[in-house]
Amino acid sequence: DYDSVLVHLSSEFAVIGAWLWHMLGKRIGFWHNDAAAPLFARIAIRFSDVVFYSNPDSFAAKYAHARYVPMGVEADMYMLERSAPKESLLFLGRLSARKNLDETIGAFGAVRENVQNLTLDVYGEPRQSDAGYAAKLRTKFAQLERGGALSYKGSVLHDMTPSVYAAHEIFVHAGSAHGSKKTLYEAMAAGCLVITSEKEVREVIDPRFFLEKSTEENIANAIRAALSLSEEKREHARSVSRAYVKREHALSSVVPSV
């Protein structure tokens, strides 16, 4: 027996199941974190008794029955001993145009012209609809890949991500306002220096790491700024980021919010 139903992201299930759940007297919770909302998501939001979001830019945030909840990061899981070379960059996420990966790799290539040992590891796979985009990226930046500076690592199991973050110094998160920001908070918990366009952490990170627009030039300048930090300032940035995630997005704070 159950009293409530929580539908995470899958708006079609919320729409299809809503009539039955309402008939049975079950409360419906729906999680929608994207800044945009297709038709099914809009219907699901209206059919739900409460809609949850963790992104302040979420389409759902404007509704009276919306409720903000933390992202839910198991911060201690990511606090491994770090083994990252200073010149190591990381992208982890879906390979899609929305992530501005083209601009990220282009910026990496521009900076590498003067930092020859700079590397970028790309973890993730494209959806079927983005396969063409991913193929074009590999063609466009084939020289960087052939030279060993750029590596496509494919997908990674979630329980392996702490060691991935720990092996990289700089995490680049230059995507749009769409979707989840969980990888950003995981990278912060892991102690990576984060370059991001996410407004929520603008006051948390070094101002030179914040991207007003995710252009190749802006990302390149942010990478150069990260590379120029002294070890003392790197450690300070790590401690501030980790404290922020534990305070604002810890897993332990999700259940009371829900």
Side-chain angles (χ1 to χ4, degrees):
D1 194 19
Y2 59 97
D3 299 314
S4 304
V5 177
L6 175 62
V7 181
H8 186 263
L9 300 178
S10 301
S11 55
E12 294 85 354
F13 291 134
V15 173
I16 293 169
W19 68 272
L20 174 62
W21 293 323
H22 280 308
M23 187 173 64
L24 295 174
K26 310 299 183 184
R27 285 177 56 81
I28 302 172
F30 177 57
W31 177 287
H32 184 82
N33 216 34
D34 207 315
L39 179 61
F40 268 106
R42 295 176 186 227
I43 296 172
I45 290 171
R46 292 188 178 276
F47 281 2
S48 300
D49 295 290
V50 60
V51 57
F52 300 105
Y53 68 96
S54 58
N55 174 13
D57 293 321
S58 170
F59 179 85
K62 63 184 180 182
Y63 287 87
H65 65 306
R67 183 179 300 173
Y68 175 85
V69 295
M71 182 61 72
V73 175
E74 195 172 350
D76 291 341
M77 170 182 174
Y78 291 93
M79 294 184 183
L80 303 182
E81 182 176 350
R82 295 187 56 77
S83 58
K86 178 181 176 181
E87 300 83 6
S88 55
L89 274 63
L90 171 66
F91 170 91
L92 194 159
R94 291 281 185 187
L95 309 191
S96 75
R98 295 201 319 182
K99 304 291 186 179
N100 294 315
L101 187 53
D102 190 328
E103 290 79 3
T104 296
I105 300 176
F108 160 72
V111 176
R112 195 175 186 277
E113 291 178 4
N114 296 309
V115 186
Q116 292 300 308
N117 52 346
L118 193 66
T119 61
L120 170 62
D121 289 338
V122 175
Y123 283 82
E125 297 283 356
R127 291 191 173 96
Q128 187 173 358
S129 58
D130 292 314
Y133 171 80
K136 288 179 181 178
L137 280 183
R138 297 196 75 155
T139 299
K140 181 176 180 179
F141 298 107
Q143 186 173 348
L144 286 171
E145 188 177 4
R146 283 196 298 268
L150 171 64
S151 298
Y152 296 92
K153 302 293 188 178
S155 59
V156 59
L157 295 174
H158 186 257
D159 60 359
M160 298 298 294
T161 56
S163 60
V164 172
Y165 292 120
H168 296 85
E169 184 72 358
I170 302 168
F171 181 75
V172 184
H173 177 270
S176 67
H178 298 271
S180 171
K181 308 295 188 295
K182 195 166 187 179
T183 56
L184 171 64
Y185 303 128
E186 290 172 349
M188 292 174 72
C192 295
L193 303 178
V194 296
I195 293 170
T196 182
S197 57
E198 173 51 46
K199 295 177 182 177
E200 184 184 338
V201 301
R202 182 173 189 164
E203 302 302 320
V204 179
I205 63 175
D206 187 305
R208 295 173 296 170
F209 301 169
F210 179 74
L211 304 170
E212 290 284 358
K213 293 184 178 179
S214 295
T215 64
E216 183 176 313
E217 180 181 3
N218 286 349
I219 298 170
N221 287 337
I223 293 172
R224 293 186 183 101
L227 291 171
S228 71
L229 279 192
S230 67
E231 187 57 37
E232 181 181 0
K233 289 185 177 180
R234 286 168 185 265
E235 286 304 317
H236 175 72
R238 286 191 238 282
S239 64
V240 170
S241 290
R242 282 171 164 163
Y244 170 80
V245 175
K246 293 191 78 170
R247 182 178 68 251
E248 301 293 338
H249 290 286
L251 182 62
S252 59
S253 60
V254 173
V255 174
S257 300
V258 173

